[in-house]
Amino acid sequence: QEGNISRMEFSRLVDFGDALVDGIYGISWIPCVSVVDLPAFEAYGRQQYANSNVRNFHVKPPPDGTDPQIMPVFLIQPEDVNLGAIGFNLFSNPARKKALDKARDAGMSTTTARIILAQEKEEGGGNFGVLYITPV
């Protein structure tokens, strides 16, 4: 997929070593993907995650047909503690979608309301957090 950054490149780009600020659990790349392009995107994801702890990359939950686009978490660091977020479609949650739309429309950073992080849900946790979203 032309124009995409690889897992390795993203890892180098956001490698802060031990300098990650306390309370920040990860930094992610969330592309805007047309629902029409979803099969090709998921195939690309399976290729990128072939030699990782991510099994059978797919977008979750699948699009419900209300939006022509999805916003899945594609790359995230540190990856090992955020596996549950990989593939999560941020447009599937109203609070996340509202913040993404606001950031896109205003062309500036914003935060979500208080949410339970996708990786927390995957592991049965219930810690609250917020997403800080910056459009690029």
Side-chain angles (χ1 to χ4, degrees), residues 13-33:
L13 177 69
V14 300
D15 181 11
F16 296 104
D18 293 333
L20 199 59
V21 176
D22 191 34
I24 296 178
Y25 293 105
I27 298 173
S28 61
W29 170 252
I30 302 160
C32 184
V33 179

PDB file of all heavy atoms in Angstrom, residues 13-33:
ATOM      1  N   LEU A  13      10.208   5.716  14.495  1.00  0.00           N
ATOM      2  CA  LEU A  13       9.729   7.091  14.542  1.00  0.00           C
ATOM      3  C   LEU A  13       9.306   7.509  15.947  1.00  0.00           C
ATOM      4  O   LEU A  13       9.584   8.613  16.385  1.00  0.00           O
ATOM      5  CB  LEU A  13       8.554   7.268  13.578  1.00  0.00           C
ATOM      6  CG  LEU A  13       7.889   8.636  13.557  1.00  0.00           C
ATOM      7  CD1 LEU A  13       8.828   9.674  12.945  1.00  0.00           C
ATOM      8  CD2 LEU A  13       6.585   8.576  12.793  1.00  0.00           C
ATOM      9  N   VAL A  14       8.642   6.615  16.655  1.00  0.00           N
ATOM     10  CA  VAL A  14       8.105   6.972  17.975  1.00  0.00           C
ATOM     11  C   VAL A  14       8.883   6.351  19.126  1.00  0.00           C
ATOM     12  O   VAL A  14       8.404   6.311  20.245  1.00  0.00           O
ATOM     13  CB  VAL A  14       6.599   6.606  18.089  1.00  0.00           C
ATOM     14  CG1 VAL A  14       5.793   7.350  17.050  1.00  0.00           C
ATOM     15  CG2 VAL A  14       6.376   5.108  17.992  1.00  0.00           C
ATOM     16  N   ASP A  15      10.105   5.902  18.864  1.00  0.00           N
ATOM     17  CA  ASP A  15      10.921   5.293  19.915  1.00  0.00           C
ATOM     18  C   ASP A  15      11.426   6.363  20.872  1.00  0.00           C
ATOM     19  O   ASP A  15      12.357   7.097  20.579  1.00  0.00           O
ATOM     20  CB  ASP A  15      12.094   4.534  19.309  1.00  0.00           C
ATOM     21  CG  ASP A  15      12.942   3.861  20.369  1.00  0.00           C
ATOM     22  OD1 ASP A  15      12.516   3.801  21.538  1.00  0.00           O
ATOM     23  OD2 ASP A  15      14.035   3.379  20.036  1.00  0.00           O
ATOM     24  N   PHE A  16      10.772   6.438  22.007  1.00  0.00           N
ATOM     25  CA  PHE A  16      11.158   7.395  23.027  1.00  0.00           C
ATOM     26  C   PHE A  16      11.965   6.730  24.134  1.00  0.00           C
ATOM     27  O   PHE A  16      12.268   7.354  25.139  1.00  0.00           O
ATOM     28  CB  PHE A  16       9.919   8.066  23.632  1.00  0.00           C
ATOM     29  CG  PHE A  16       9.150   8.879  22.634  1.00  0.00           C
ATOM     30  CD1 PHE A  16       7.969   8.415  22.100  1.00  0.00           C
ATOM     31  CD2 PHE A  16       9.622  10.113  22.222  1.00  0.00           C
ATOM     32  CE1 PHE A  16       7.258   9.168  21.181  1.00  0.00           C
ATOM     33  CE2 PHE A  16       8.928  10.874  21.301  1.00  0.00           C
ATOM     34  CZ  PHE A  16       7.741  10.392  20.774  1.00  0.00           C
ATOM     35  N   GLY A  17      12.259   5.450  23.976  1.00  0.00           N
ATOM     36  CA  GLY A  17      12.991   4.740  25.010  1.00  0.00           C
ATOM     37  C   GLY A  17      12.223   4.795  26.315  1.00  0.00           C
ATOM     38  O   GLY A  17      11.029   4.548  26.355  1.00  0.00           O
ATOM     39  N   ASP A  18      12.888   5.145  27.376  1.00  0.00           N
ATOM     40  CA  ASP A  18      12.251   5.249  28.683  1.00  0.00           C
ATOM     41  C   ASP A  18      11.667   6.632  28.937  1.00  0.00           C
ATOM     42  O   ASP A  18      11.209   6.927  30.037  1.00  0.00           O
ATOM     43  CB  ASP A  18      13.257   4.913  29.791  1.00  0.00           C
ATOM     44  CG  ASP A  18      13.684   3.460  29.752  1.00  0.00           C
ATOM     45  OD1 ASP A  18      12.885   2.627  29.261  1.00  0.00           O
ATOM     46  OD2 ASP A  18      14.796   3.159  30.193  1.00  0.00           O
ATOM     47  N   ALA A  19      11.661   7.474  27.918  1.00  0.00           N
ATOM     48  CA  ALA A  19      11.222   8.851  28.101  1.00  0.00           C
ATOM     49  C   ALA A  19       9.720   9.043  27.910  1.00  0.00           C
ATOM     50  O   ALA A  19       9.237  10.157  27.977  1.00  0.00           O
ATOM     51  CB  ALA A  19      11.973   9.766  27.136  1.00  0.00           C
ATOM     52  N   LEU A  20       8.965   7.974  27.661  1.00  0.00           N
ATOM     53  CA  LEU A  20       7.524   8.105  27.492  1.00  0.00           C
ATOM     54  C   LEU A  20       6.930   8.667  28.783  1.00  0.00           C
ATOM     55  O   LEU A  20       7.225   8.211  29.878  1.00  0.00           O
ATOM     56  CB  LEU A  20       6.893   6.746  27.168  1.00  0.00           C
ATOM     57  CG  LEU A  20       5.512   6.778  26.531  1.00  0.00           C
ATOM     58  CD1 LEU A  20       5.533   7.555  25.220  1.00  0.00           C
ATOM     59  CD2 LEU A  20       5.015   5.376  26.265  1.00  0.00           C
ATOM     60  N   VAL A  21       6.127   9.673  28.648  1.00  0.00           N
ATOM     61  CA  VAL A  21       5.565  10.381  29.794  1.00  0.00           C
ATOM     62  C   VAL A  21       4.650   9.444  30.592  1.00  0.00           C
ATOM     63  O   VAL A  21       3.841   8.714  30.028  1.00  0.00           O
ATOM     64  CB  VAL A  21       4.773  11.623  29.320  1.00  0.00           C
ATOM     65  CG1 VAL A  21       4.098  12.329  30.471  1.00  0.00           C
ATOM     66  CG2 VAL A  21       5.689  12.567  28.563  1.00  0.00           C
ATOM     67  N   ASP A  22       4.789   9.487  31.914  1.00  0.00           N
ATOM     68  CA  ASP A  22       3.956   8.682  32.786  1.00  0.00           C
ATOM     69  C   ASP A  22       2.476   8.977  32.514  1.00  0.00           C
ATOM     70  O   ASP A  22       2.079  10.142  32.440  1.00  0.00           O
ATOM     71  CB  ASP A  22       4.293   8.971  34.248  1.00  0.00           C
ATOM     72  CG  ASP A  22       3.658   7.973  35.192  1.00  0.00           C
ATOM     73  OD1 ASP A  22       3.528   6.797  34.813  1.00  0.00           O
ATOM     74  OD2 ASP A  22       3.290   8.385  36.303  1.00  0.00           O
ATOM     75  N   GLY A  23       1.695   7.942  32.344  1.00  0.00           N
ATOM     76  CA  GLY A  23       0.272   8.110  32.074  1.00  0.00           C
ATOM     77  C   GLY A  23      -0.082   8.011  30.603  1.00  0.00           C
ATOM     78  O   GLY A  23      -1.248   7.889  30.253  1.00  0.00           O
ATOM     79  N   ILE A  24       0.900   8.068  29.724  1.00  0.00           N
ATOM     80  CA  ILE A  24       0.648   7.861  28.294  1.00  0.00           C
ATOM     81  C   ILE A  24       0.928   6.397  27.989  1.00  0.00           C
ATOM     82  O   ILE A  24       2.030   5.914  28.198  1.00  0.00           O
ATOM     83  CB  ILE A  24       1.530   8.786  27.425  1.00  0.00           C
ATOM     84  CG1 ILE A  24       1.158  10.244  27.676  1.00  0.00           C
ATOM     85  CG2 ILE A  24       1.371   8.431  25.941  1.00  0.00           C
ATOM     86  CD1 ILE A  24       1.992  11.238  26.902  1.00  0.00           C
ATOM     87  N   TYR A  25      -0.098   5.712  27.512  1.00  0.00           N
ATOM     88  CA  TYR A  25       0.016   4.272  27.298  1.00  0.00           C
ATOM     89  C   TYR A  25       0.426   3.892  25.889  1.00  0.00           C
ATOM     90  O   TYR A  25       0.770   2.755  25.640  1.00  0.00           O
ATOM     91  CB  TYR A  25      -1.301   3.587  27.653  1.00  0.00           C
ATOM     92  CG  TYR A  25      -1.598   3.681  29.121  1.00  0.00           C
ATOM     93  CD1 TYR A  25      -2.557   4.563  29.588  1.00  0.00           C
ATOM     94  CD2 TYR A  25      -0.902   2.915  30.036  1.00  0.00           C
ATOM     95  CE1 TYR A  25      -2.822   4.674  30.936  1.00  0.00           C
ATOM     96  CE2 TYR A  25      -1.157   3.013  31.394  1.00  0.00           C
ATOM     97  CZ  TYR A  25      -2.120   3.892  31.829  1.00  0.00           C
ATOM     98  OH  TYR A  25      -2.375   4.003  33.166  1.00  0.00           O
ATOM     99  N   GLY A  26       0.363   4.824  24.960  1.00  0.00           N
ATOM    100  CA  GLY A  26       0.773   4.485  23.612  1.00  0.00           C
ATOM    101  C   GLY A  26       0.603   5.629  22.646  1.00  0.00           C
ATOM    102  O   GLY A  26      -0.080   6.615  22.913  1.00  0.00           O
ATOM    103  N   ILE A  27       1.257   5.475  21.513  1.00  0.00           N
ATOM    104  CA  ILE A  27       1.159   6.400  20.393  1.00  0.00           C
ATOM    105  C   ILE A  27       0.779   5.558  19.191  1.00  0.00           C
ATOM    106  O   ILE A  27       1.403   4.518  18.933  1.00  0.00           O
ATOM    107  CB  ILE A  27       2.495   7.128  20.163  1.00  0.00           C
ATOM    108  CG1 ILE A  27       2.848   7.956  21.405  1.00  0.00           C
ATOM    109  CG2 ILE A  27       2.429   7.997  18.914  1.00  0.00           C
ATOM    110  CD1 ILE A  27       4.216   8.571  21.357  1.00  0.00           C
ATOM    111  N   SER A  28      -0.244   6.010  18.457  1.00  0.00           N
ATOM    112  CA  SER A  28      -0.729   5.172  17.363  1.00  0.00           C
ATOM    113  C   SER A  28      -0.910   5.944  16.068  1.00  0.00           C
ATOM    114  O   SER A  28      -0.997   7.166  16.056  1.00  0.00           O
ATOM    115  CB  SER A  28      -2.050   4.501  17.750  1.00  0.00           C
ATOM    116  OG  SER A  28      -3.040   5.464  18.025  1.00  0.00           O
ATOM    117  N   TRP A  29      -0.962   5.188  14.994  1.00  0.00           N
ATOM    118  CA  TRP A  29      -1.262   5.697  13.651  1.00  0.00           C
ATOM    119  C   TRP A  29      -2.603   5.105  13.267  1.00  0.00           C
ATOM    120  O   TRP A  29      -2.776   3.882  13.258  1.00  0.00           O
ATOM    121  CB  TRP A  29      -0.184   5.273  12.664  1.00  0.00           C
ATOM    122  CG  TRP A  29      -0.536   5.548  11.236  1.00  0.00           C
ATOM    123  CD1 TRP A  29      -0.871   4.636  10.281  1.00  0.00           C
ATOM    124  CD2 TRP A  29      -0.591   6.826  10.600  1.00  0.00           C
ATOM    125  NE1 TRP A  29      -1.131   5.267   9.103  1.00  0.00           N
ATOM    126  CE2 TRP A  29      -0.972   6.622   9.266  1.00  0.00           C
ATOM    127  CE3 TRP A  29      -0.375   8.125  11.044  1.00  0.00           C
ATOM    128  CZ2 TRP A  29      -1.124   7.659   8.360  1.00  0.00           C
ATOM    129  CZ3 TRP A  29      -0.528   9.163  10.141  1.00  0.00           C
ATOM    130  CH2 TRP A  29      -0.891   8.926   8.821  1.00  0.00           C
ATOM    131  N   ILE A  30      -3.558   5.992  12.963  1.00  0.00           N
ATOM    132  CA  ILE A  30      -4.923   5.568  12.664  1.00  0.00           C
ATOM    133  C   ILE A  30      -5.288   6.106  11.286  1.00  0.00           C
ATOM    134  O   ILE A  30      -5.647   7.278  11.152  1.00  0.00           O
ATOM    135  CB  ILE A  30      -5.893   6.089  13.743  1.00  0.00           C
ATOM    136  CG1 ILE A  30      -5.444   5.567  15.104  1.00  0.00           C
ATOM    137  CG2 ILE A  30      -7.327   5.691  13.424  1.00  0.00           C
ATOM    138  CD1 ILE A  30      -5.968   6.341  16.266  1.00  0.00           C
ATOM    139  N   PRO A  31      -5.176   5.284  10.254  1.00  0.00           N
ATOM    140  CA  PRO A  31      -5.486   5.772   8.912  1.00  0.00           C
ATOM    141  C   PRO A  31      -6.990   5.825   8.658  1.00  0.00           C
ATOM    142  O   PRO A  31      -7.764   5.110   9.287  1.00  0.00           O
ATOM    143  CB  PRO A  31      -4.832   4.726   8.011  1.00  0.00           C
ATOM    144  CG  PRO A  31      -4.905   3.469   8.813  1.00  0.00           C
ATOM    145  CD  PRO A  31      -4.720   3.901  10.252  1.00  0.00           C
ATOM    146  N   CYS A  32      -7.372   6.680   7.748  1.00  0.00           N
ATOM    147  CA  CYS A  32      -8.756   6.741   7.285  1.00  0.00           C
ATOM    148  C   CYS A  32      -8.856   5.787   6.093  1.00  0.00           C
ATOM    149  O   CYS A  32      -8.132   5.945   5.108  1.00  0.00           O
ATOM    150  CB  CYS A  32      -9.110   8.163   6.883  1.00  0.00           C
ATOM    151  SG  CYS A  32     -10.825   8.347   6.414  1.00  0.00           S
ATOM    152  N   VAL A  33      -9.706   4.782   6.203  1.00  0.00           N
ATOM    153  CA  VAL A  33      -9.804   3.741   5.185  1.00  0.00           C
ATOM    154  C   VAL A  33     -11.227   3.692   4.641  1.00  0.00           C
ATOM    155  O   VAL A  33     -12.183   3.616   5.411  1.00  0.00           O
ATOM    156  CB  VAL A  33      -9.432   2.359   5.778  1.00  0.00           C
ATOM    157  CG1 VAL A  33      -9.550   1.262   4.732  1.00  0.00           C
ATOM    158  CG2 VAL A  33      -8.026   2.387   6.379  1.00  0.00           C
TER     159      VAL A  33
END
